[in-house]
Amino acid sequence: MTELRRPTSPATASGLRVEAVELRRIAIPLVAPFRTSFGVERQRDVLLVHVLGNAGEGWGECVAMEEPLYSSEYADGAQRVIEEHLLPRLFAQDHLDVTDVARVLAPIRGHRMAKAAVEMAWLDAQLRSAGQSLAAYLGATRTSVECGVSVGIMDSIPQLLDAVGTYLEQGYRRIKLKVEPGWDLEPVRTVREHFPSGILLQVDANAAYTLADADHLAALDQFDLLLIEQPLPQEELLAHAKLAKVVRTPICLDESIVSAAVATEAIEMGACSVINIKPGRVGGYLEAAQIHDLCLARQVPVWCGGMLETGVGRAANVALAALPNFLLPGDTSASDRYFRQDITAPFILEDGRLAVPSGPGIGVEVLRDVVDGLTTSRRVVRRVG
Ligand code: SMG
Ligand code: MG
């Protein structure tokens, strides 16, 4: 079979006819609590979207969290939007190609994580039936990707050093420290002093500062960080551009970048010089690939973010991270950094890298028994007529 590339359709010109969509909620415990500037996650409440179509099935994972703390979207809300607003529009089409899903859903404003989960399932189904991997479809140029790890805010510095030391021993190529006012200069200084000077280090504030903290943030410059991720609130692009003039460390945006259009604006106004791409945050893998392309054209490096995904979302993220302009290690850590038991075969770190799945679609199989054991609710929405 000849490989097709974006934006051509991965399957037949007539697309996919979806007969039913199963919405599964699972609760999967994390191996350790993960604390950020906005809260603590102890388990992941995941919405899985399973489409059953004429040409086979596909899986999507919604990255919205249990509570609207990272973003305004949250799992219950995403499920409701999918059921009540997205699926009726998709079922109104007889056959629909994945490249048309975003257009059909465009009248619904926002809700990008919900849209991304549905589009991902569609994409997986179409690619599986075409026998093509997501990585090949998106234009991946590597067979494995370099991995970093995101380290939460800890109760004490010794605990932090312990966690970072363990991850470095496991082979992670880059450490990201979660920071917030009161947990920033000291932890970064200690990690820098304690470990070899060559380790790649960056911080993520999840919007916990204001522009009034610019001088304080500039004190991070001495630690030779790769970047500061999302220091200021999501909507404040101009404030980020002003901050970028005060700090030497490159500014990377996460929460702010909700689309290719916003990515273009942020780059052009100097609000960031690096972008964290999360497909869920931007409405799907096709939009994510567009952001990759526009950043490549402007020589802005990107890396793949994480939302504590299961193996389903991780498989697709690793495929995306194999595109050429993913120049920094991502938050695409191994399954055992998150879960004792993943819902797919585990992603295992080898020499600081994860292998890019090469099978059709997202390239991993969902372990039905494991999913059944974790399921908290299940609904099947069927096409009428
Ligand atoms: O998937 O390893 C992961 C988590 C990476 O730090 C991470 N994600 O802002 O980048 C970020 C956060 C968002 C989720 S925190 C619960
Ligand atoms: Mg972030």
Side-chain angles (χ1 to χ4, degrees):
M1 182 166 313
T2 50
E3 280 190 357
L4 297 151
R5 286 281 162 87
R6 289 181 283 132
T8 16
S9 158
T12 59
S14 54
L16 183 71
R17 181 181 160 90
V18 168
E19 302 297 343
V21 176
E22 179 194 15
L23 298 173
R24 281 254 190 181
R25 290 287 282 281
I26 61 168
I28 174 163
L30 294 174
V31 290
F34 183 56
R35 185 171 148 210
T36 63
S37 63
F38 60 77
V40 186
E41 311 292 321
R42 291 190 168 78
Q43 64 162 17
R44 197 66 179 87
D45 172 0
V46 183
L47 166 61
L48 295 171
V49 178
H50 182 199
V51 303
L52 303 148
N54 60 327
E57 59 175 347
W59 288 88
E61 174 169 348
C62 182
V63 301
M65 302 265 162
E66 190 169 357
E67 291 185 280
L69 300 175
Y70 163 83
S71 64
S72 61
E73 286 191 84
Y74 65 108
D76 281 343
Q79 176 158 356
R80 183 121 184 215
V81 165
I82 291 174
E83 276 189 56
E84 295 184 6
H85 299 283
L86 306 188
L87 294 183
R89 280 179 161 73
L90 297 172
F91 282 144
Q93 312 287 320
D94 181 46
H95 284 67
L96 184 64
D97 189 83
V98 67
T99 55
D100 291 321
V101 166
R103 181 182 52 76
V104 168
L105 300 181
I108 304 298
R109 296 195 193 273
H111 297 286
R112 293 181 171 90
M113 294 176 178
K115 291 174 178 174
V118 173
E119 190 196 78
M120 178 184 168
W122 221 271
L123 188 54
D124 183 38
Q126 278 195 250
L127 287 168
R128 279 182 203 262
S129 78
Q132 187 175 354
S133 72
L134 177 61
Y137 174 65
L138 292 176
T141 51
R142 313 178 180 107
T143 55
S144 69
V145 299
E146 274 199 307
C147 299
V149 60
S150 175
V151 185
I153 294 166
M154 303 273 165
D155 292 334
S156 69
I157 296 279
Q159 239 183 314
L160 176 69
L161 294 177
D162 214 47
V164 171
T166 305
Y167 289 133
L168 288 173
E169 273 164 31
Q170 290 171 356
Y172 285 104
R173 302 274 182 102
R174 177 279 269 152
I175 299 291
K176 160 167 140 183
L177 301 182
K178 288 292 194 177
V179 293
E180 66 181 1
W183 182 267
D184 45 28
L185 300 180
E186 213 32 47
V188 173
R189 180 193 314 280
T190 329
V191 168
R192 259 293 175 245
E193 283 171 3
H194 203 269
F195 296 102
S197 59
I199 67 162
L200 301 183
L201 191 62
Q202 65 192 52
V203 295
D204 183 4
N206 288 107
Y209 296 89
T210 71
L211 189 56
D213 298 309
D215 291 338
H216 180 72
L217 292 168
L220 288 166
D221 286 345
Q222 59 187 307
F223 303 120
D224 204 15
L225 302 177
L226 282 175
L227 55 91
I228 305 177
E229 183 179 346
Q230 197 71 42
L232 311 180
Q234 179 183 324
E235 295 77 9
E236 298 186 13
L237 287 185
L238 188 58
H240 279 100
K242 289 178 179 169
L243 179 64
K245 294 206 167 86
V246 180
V247 301
R248 251 192 308 113
T249 311
I251 305 286
C252 169
L253 290 177
D254 172 358
E255 285 90 327
S256 294
I257 306 298
V258 296
S259 64
V262 173
T264 306
E265 299 225 339
I267 294 167
E268 294 199 355
M269 67 200 275
C272 63
S273 50
V274 183
I275 287 183
N276 163 339
I277 300 186
K278 289 179 181 167
R281 197 194 61 223
V282 304
Y285 285 84
L286 303 185
E287 185 84 4
Q290 272 186 46
I291 296 177
H292 163 272
D293 295 353
L294 74 86
C295 287
L296 177 63
R298 290 168 173 76
Q299 297 184 302
V300 170
V302 304
W303 55 281
C304 185
M307 292 291 287
L308 309 171
E309 286 91 346
T310 70
V312 170
R314 191 163 313 283
N317 284 349
V318 168
L320 179 72
L323 269 64
N325 194 41
F326 280 81
L327 295 174
L328 297 167
D331 282 345
T332 46
S333 310
S335 295
D336 68 0
R337 180 255 174 271
Y338 310 95
F339 316 113
R340 233 170 289 286
Q341 166 75 64
D342 207 333
I343 64 167
T344 62
F347 278 84
I348 295 170
L349 201 67
E350 276 172 50
D351 195 23
R353 307 178 75 90
L354 292 186
V356 178
S358 57
I362 61 172
V364 291
E365 300 306 321
V366 170
L367 303 172
R368 302 298 176 100
D369 292 354
V370 176
V371 167
D372 284 347
L374 298 168
T375 297
T376 52
S377 77
R378 179 174 177 269
R379 265 183 69 73
V380 179
V381 184
R382 287 179 203 286
R383 170 189 289 275
V384 189

